[in-house]
Amino acid sequence: MDAIAVDAACSGNPGPMEYRGVHLPSGKQIFHFGPMQGTNNIGEFLAIVHALALLQQKGYPNMTIYSDSRTAQIWVQKKKCKTTLQRTPETEKLFDIIARAEHWLQTHTYTNPIVKWDTDNWGEIPADFGRK
């Protein structure tokens, strides 16, 4: 199955957050971002948007994106990161990145399916950082 799995990790909430995307057939990491101060939900949201933008740029409009975060999927669908993270000097750069992601969602259309990874039946998502 030609698809991308995305996941985020955060040490604390908030805390140092990072995310990545993994090409499912090869297991190869195709993008990574962070760490920077944030939350896991923000990382999951940004990972999906990053995957959407990358797939559009590379010409893969039908490749499936798997995420284990229902919250992030809803935020992407609504085109809005509904975080409660406080805006501080330490998080200002992250809020700029969130604004860029929201803007991308509002100004682009996409056809890539975004599917909930079934952890109970399939195990941990391949993009998992393995820190649980």
Side-chain angles (χ1 to χ4, degrees):
M1 158 185 4
D2 206 14
I4 293 179
V6 299
D7 200 23
C10 192
S11 299
N13 197 25
M17 173 277 298
E18 60 188 314
Y19 69 79
R20 68 179 174 173
V22 171
H23 183 239
L24 281 180
S26 68
K28 181 180 175 185
Q29 179 175 285
I30 55 175
F31 62 83
H32 177 267
F33 174 84
M36 69 182 331
Q37 188 73 5
T39 68
N40 196 69
N41 282 339
I42 291 171
E44 300 274 4
F45 168 79
L46 292 174
I48 294 172
V49 178
H50 191 140
L52 287 168
L54 180 66
L55 292 174
Q56 186 171 87
Q57 178 187 34
K58 299 290 184 186
Y60 296 102
N62 299 313
M63 188 179 288
T64 299
I65 300 167
Y66 285 95
S67 169
D68 61 8
S69 172
R70 174 63 62 206
T71 297
Q73 291 175 13
I74 291 168
W75 289 359
V76 168
Q77 183 181 27
K78 294 183 181 287
K79 303 177 186 210
K80 184 74 176 160
C81 180
K82 299 284 283 180
T83 186
T84 58
L85 181 66
Q86 295 297 310
R87 194 175 203 131
T88 67
E90 189 176 20
T91 62
E92 189 61 35
K93 184 176 177 185
L94 181 62
F95 275 94
D96 290 343
I97 295 166
I98 291 167
R100 283 189 6 228
E102 291 172 341
H103 179 73
W104 189 92
L105 289 170
Q106 292 160 6
T107 58
H108 292 77
T109 59
Y110 60 88
T111 55
N112 303 87
I114 302 170
V115 178
K116 174 74 168 74
W117 182 263
D118 187 352
T119 304
D120 290 340
N121 290 309
W122 305 338
E124 286 297 333
I125 194 163
D128 185 71
F129 285 85
R131 298 187 193 140
K132 293 180 176 93

